[in-house]
Amino acid sequence: MTLSLMYTNCQRGLIFEFLKLSNEFMKEFKVELDKVPHNHTAIKEGIKISDNILKDAKLFIYQPLDDKYGELSTNSILSRLPSECICISLPRLYFKGYWPQHGANPYSKITGDIQSLFSYGDTNLNQMIEEGVPKEEIIQRINKLDFYNHEDLIDNLEYTLNEISKREEYTDVKISEFIRQNYKNYRLFHTINHPTDMVGREVANQILQILNMPKLSENVLPFHKEVLGGLQVPIYPSVREKLGLNFITPNEVYSLKGLGRKLTFSEYAELYIDQDQKYRKSELLFKSQPNEILDNLSDKKENQQAGVIYIITGTNLRYVHECIFSAASLKKYCPKLPIAVLSDKFLDFPKDYFDYIIPIQTELQPLQVKVEFMYKSPFDKTLFLDTDTQVLQPIDEMFNWLDEYDLCVANGPMWAKDKPQELLAYEGEGNYNTGVLLYRKSDKVELFFNTWLEKMLASSTLDKDYYNNPGVNDQFFFNQLIFQRFCEQHGIKRKIFTNTVYNVRSNMIQNLKNDGKIKDVKILHMHDLHKKKLKFDC
């Protein structure tokens, strides 16, 4: 077998599912999808495709990219392929004919667990929400069979087909005529850029024809039917009626990835409106009250108590899910302990677990933000937890330490430099870990946090790799202050608590089991605890 590479967008998964159903193709070619990234990923992350990979290719399937993308452009890559390599181009598969309402959704990046539902916006819903039209009236309007007129829908259809025709002027695979002939009787797209299996088979068959191989029959289906069908954007009733779409019914239901159930057109619209309203309120809160809620809470005497805080920046849902999981585990064992989460983007945290959901505003990098806001906790006695933690037993006793001490922290473990999972000792002396940090408010502790942040901001090595760069990692500067005897100089009483109980890292687990200490663990601190398959129960 000879090497075949596919340099396209996410549609390559669909096309390959059909190509691998061809015995002739699979005997001739070995397709290695992981050798080359999706083209949009390569562009976004600046991933260069190595000559060592390209030099062995005998078949190169691609979607053209303009010269403005430099080394990632079509011309650049084709020039580096061996002369005997067969190159087959196909257009980006796109069809707006079913969805004249398609547009941007300004809140698609911060919608939590159902983020992917509304990555495709609806201009009609956006406009009516903006105009203040009641939800019930919006639903009535968009369900009317005359919402769109026939002429506008035909104009939209012809426009999108003409766009596809332009894209395929210089490609080997042509798809516009196939769409024109079949769009009424068969669902050809799930979203504007997610084709159905029927389109995937057609593209695969054209590739097979170019290679002089037999076409696939219509009854040949991939193992996973509708490869890209996990998310479907509903089609307006007036579009169904005016375009004469025969493949859907008035009671059609649509798959929405991440929701776990299918929705009718009206149910989809209702959920879209509800989410839009929720995040408009969130955005207004950020615009009108950045950091104000936090300042007010910090000033109120009734809120001066013991509590736990989490700090999250950005819209990466991994940290959101970690945080919710950690807070849920904490509430299980310490139900009366108040929890606050400080976030600059995401506010949709479950109130069952969080007593305070506090919007913050900052221009700093994530680990700097952590230090910037830790002392601004609304509590007198604060336990800061990283999001990747899990509480396994009651931990209320930790706050009693603050009757005597100002700052409490644990050492991190000591491991082999070239083998991070090989534990050398439970405690690496002088290697304090700030993922579990306990402190009480006072002028001297505030000075400690301010100095900690100042050292980070003064660092000359601020770059993209701040998580792994000791020049900007928050723990580096924390340890630096400790080594410089800052606490002793300013009368800060410091306690070192045991990490085998209150800050257990992943490379300590097996040793704790072997030593019979695993039942003593109270706080786990490691990535992916929120994923069920990695949940750890002592």
Side-chain angles (χ1 to χ4, degrees):
M1 289 190 295
T2 55
L3 177 64
S4 172
L5 301 175
M6 297 184 73
Y7 185 49
T8 72
N9 58 22
C10 60
Q11 295 162 359
R12 74 180 185 183
L14 168 65
I15 297 166
F16 179 58
E17 282 297 317
F18 280 94
L19 286 176
K20 70 183 184 182
L21 296 176
S22 166
N23 293 329
E24 290 79 7
F25 182 87
M26 295 305 291
K27 287 178 183 178
E28 179 71 22
F29 298 105
K30 179 182 180 182
V31 179
E32 296 195 19
L33 296 182
D34 60 342
K35 292 277 188 181
V36 176
H38 292 121
N39 53 21
H40 53 78
T41 301
I43 293 169
K44 181 179 179 180
E45 300 182 10
I47 302 173
K48 296 180 180 179
I49 301 174
S50 168
D51 288 341
N52 289 331
I53 296 173
L54 296 176
K55 68 180 178 61
D56 296 323
K58 300 303 179 185
L59 173 63
F60 188 72
I61 300 171
Y62 68 98
Q63 291 169 324
L65 282 181
D66 193 86
D67 287 345
K68 68 181 181 181
Y69 296 111
E71 292 184 42
L72 298 175
S73 68
T74 296
N75 288 333
S76 173
I77 292 177
L78 293 182
S79 68
R80 292 186 282 141
L81 289 166
S83 58
E84 67 274 15
C85 179
I86 302 170
C87 298
I88 300 177
S89 58
L90 56 137
R92 284 174 290 129
L93 306 174
Y94 172 94
F95 182 64
K96 195 180 174 183
Y98 297 148
W99 302 284
Q101 79 276 14
H102 174 74
N105 175 12
Y107 304 102
S108 65
K109 300 299 183 184
I110 56 170
T111 51
D113 290 335
I114 51 175
Q115 176 186 18
S116 61
L117 289 184
F118 305 117
S119 51
Y120 298 92
D122 186 310
T123 55
N124 299 319
L125 296 180
N126 291 346
Q127 181 177 345
M128 285 187 275
I129 293 169
E130 191 70 37
E131 293 172 352
V133 180
K135 179 168 68 174
E136 294 75 14
E137 185 177 340
I138 294 176
I139 302 301
Q140 288 179 356
R141 289 187 190 180
I142 62 176
N143 269 288
K144 290 182 178 180
L145 296 181
D146 61 354
F147 185 85
Y148 281 111
N149 63 58
H150 183 263
E151 291 75 18
D152 289 342
L153 292 177
I154 293 299
D155 286 345
N156 177 65
L157 177 68
E158 290 300 325
Y159 176 81
T160 190
L161 287 172
N162 289 336
E163 282 296 306
I164 299 170
S165 296
K166 291 178 183 178
R167 295 181 183 189
E168 62 189 21
E169 282 182 10
Y170 305 103
T171 61
D172 301 300
V173 172
K174 318 287 185 183
I175 200 69
S176 59
E177 191 57 33
F178 177 84
I179 294 175
R180 185 181 293 278
Q181 292 176 4
N182 292 283
Y183 79 90
K184 285 188 177 183
N185 294 322
Y186 304 96
R187 186 193 303 274
L188 298 183
F189 283 78
H190 298 295
T191 70
I192 60 168
N193 57 355
H194 283 181
T196 62
D197 284 359
M198 187 172 179
V199 176
R201 182 192 293 109
E202 173 62 20
V203 173
N205 276 336
Q206 290 192 36
I207 292 172
L208 292 173
Q209 281 187 299
I210 294 170
L211 296 171
N212 295 315
M213 294 179 178
K215 294 171 61 175
L216 300 170
S217 64
E218 291 186 6
N219 59 359
V220 174
L221 296 172
F223 179 76
H224 298 287
K225 293 182 180 179
E226 293 308 332
V227 178
L228 298 179
L231 171 61
Q232 296 176 317
V233 175
I235 296 173
Y236 273 55
S238 56
V239 175
R240 180 197 75 235
E241 181 76 11
K242 298 295 172 58
L243 290 184
L245 304 181
N246 300 318
F247 57 87
I248 55 175
T249 67
N251 299 317
E252 192 80 10
V253 290
Y254 299 88
S255 298
L256 297 176
K257 184 179 180 181
L259 190 61
R261 61 188 176 93
K262 293 186 176 183
L263 298 179
T264 64
F265 174 76
S266 294
E267 289 171 337
Y268 175 95
E270 288 182 20
L271 186 57
Y272 184 104
I273 295 167
D274 290 343
Q275 291 295 307
D276 187 284
Q277 295 282 24
K278 179 185 297 185
Y279 292 103
R280 282 176 187 269
K281 292 177 182 177
S282 295
E283 185 182 56
L284 179 62
L285 184 61
F286 280 119
K287 287 181 177 178
S288 61
Q289 297 178 310
N291 302 342
E292 289 179 17
I293 294 178
L294 182 60
D295 293 338
N296 291 337
L297 281 174
S298 298
D299 292 339
K300 289 182 179 179
K301 293 298 181 183
E302 62 266 28
N303 287 313
Q304 303 301 301
Q305 54 186 313
V308 176
I309 67 167
Y310 298 89
I311 299 173
I312 293 182
T313 61
T315 58
N316 190 324
L317 292 182
R318 167 190 164 187
Y319 303 116
V320 172
H321 294 159
E322 283 183 346
C323 183
I324 294 172
F325 176 79
S326 179
S329 71
L330 176 60
K331 279 295 185 185
K332 178 180 178 180
Y333 294 104
C334 304
K336 295 183 179 180
L337 191 63
I339 301 175
V341 58
L342 287 60
S343 174
D344 70 337
K345 290 288 189 298
F346 188 93
L347 286 181
D348 191 24
F349 291 93
K351 294 182 179 179
D352 290 346
Y353 306 137
F354 297 93
D355 301 276
Y356 304 103
I357 302 170
I358 304 170
I360 58 176
Q361 188 176 62
T362 182
E363 299 297 327
L364 300 184
Q365 295 177 350
L367 291 179
Q368 296 171 340
V369 175
K370 168 182 170 179
V371 181
E372 178 186 15
F373 284 97
M374 282 174 78
Y375 190 79
K376 295 181 180 180
S377 162
F379 310 116
D380 259 348
K381 296 180 177 180
T382 299
L383 172 63
F384 167 83
L385 291 177
D386 271 349
T387 59
D388 58 340
T389 52
Q390 179 182 0
V391 176
L392 300 173
Q393 299 184 53
I395 57 171
D396 304 86
E397 74 280 1
M398 295 180 73
F399 292 93
N400 296 332
W401 303 339
L402 294 177
D403 293 338
E404 180 179 355
Y405 297 96
D406 301 296
L407 185 67
C408 306
V409 66
N411 278 302
M414 181 184 296
W415 59 83
K417 288 185 177 180
D418 56 339
K419 297 179 180 179
Q421 289 303 313
E422 184 177 315
L423 187 72
L424 299 180
Y426 285 128
E427 297 197 27
E429 188 173 350
N431 175 31
Y432 300 108
N433 182 280
T434 60
V436 180
L437 190 64
L438 189 68
Y439 51 95
R440 66 178 177 182
K441 287 191 172 181
S442 67
D443 291 343
K444 54 191 176 183
V445 173
E446 183 176 15
L447 178 62
F448 180 93
F449 278 93
N450 289 340
T451 306
W452 184 8
L453 179 60
E454 287 171 4
K455 283 183 172 291
M456 291 188 71
L457 296 178
S459 171
S460 61
T461 55
L462 295 177
D463 58 30
K464 291 173 65 177
D465 196 25
Y466 51 81
Y467 284 106
N468 300 313
N469 189 330
V472 289
N473 184 292
D474 67 292
Q475 290 180 176
F476 173 85
F477 291 105
F478 181 92
N479 281 280
Q480 191 179 75
L481 282 177
I482 299 299
F483 298 153
Q484 293 172 350
R485 301 182 62 80
F486 186 95
C487 292
E488 289 80 358
Q489 293 169 12
H490 294 86
I492 298 172
K493 296 186 68 175
R494 176 168 51 90
K495 174 181 174 63
I496 301 174
F497 55 82
T498 174
N499 65 354
T500 59
V501 176
Y502 298 102
N503 193 350
V504 175
R505 308 310 305 273
S506 60
N507 53 6
M508 299 167 61
I509 295 296
Q510 191 57 52
N511 292 67
L512 288 171
K513 288 181 178 179
N514 296 341
D515 295 342
K517 298 180 179 180
I518 197 68
K519 292 183 179 180
D520 298 330
V521 174
K522 292 197 172 188
I523 300 178
L524 287 172
H525 182 191
M526 62 190 75
H527 294 311
D528 295 325
L529 286 166
H530 64 296
K531 296 181 179 179
K532 290 183 179 180
K533 65 180 180 180
L534 293 177
K535 284 185 183 178
F536 182 80
D537 190 356
C538 293

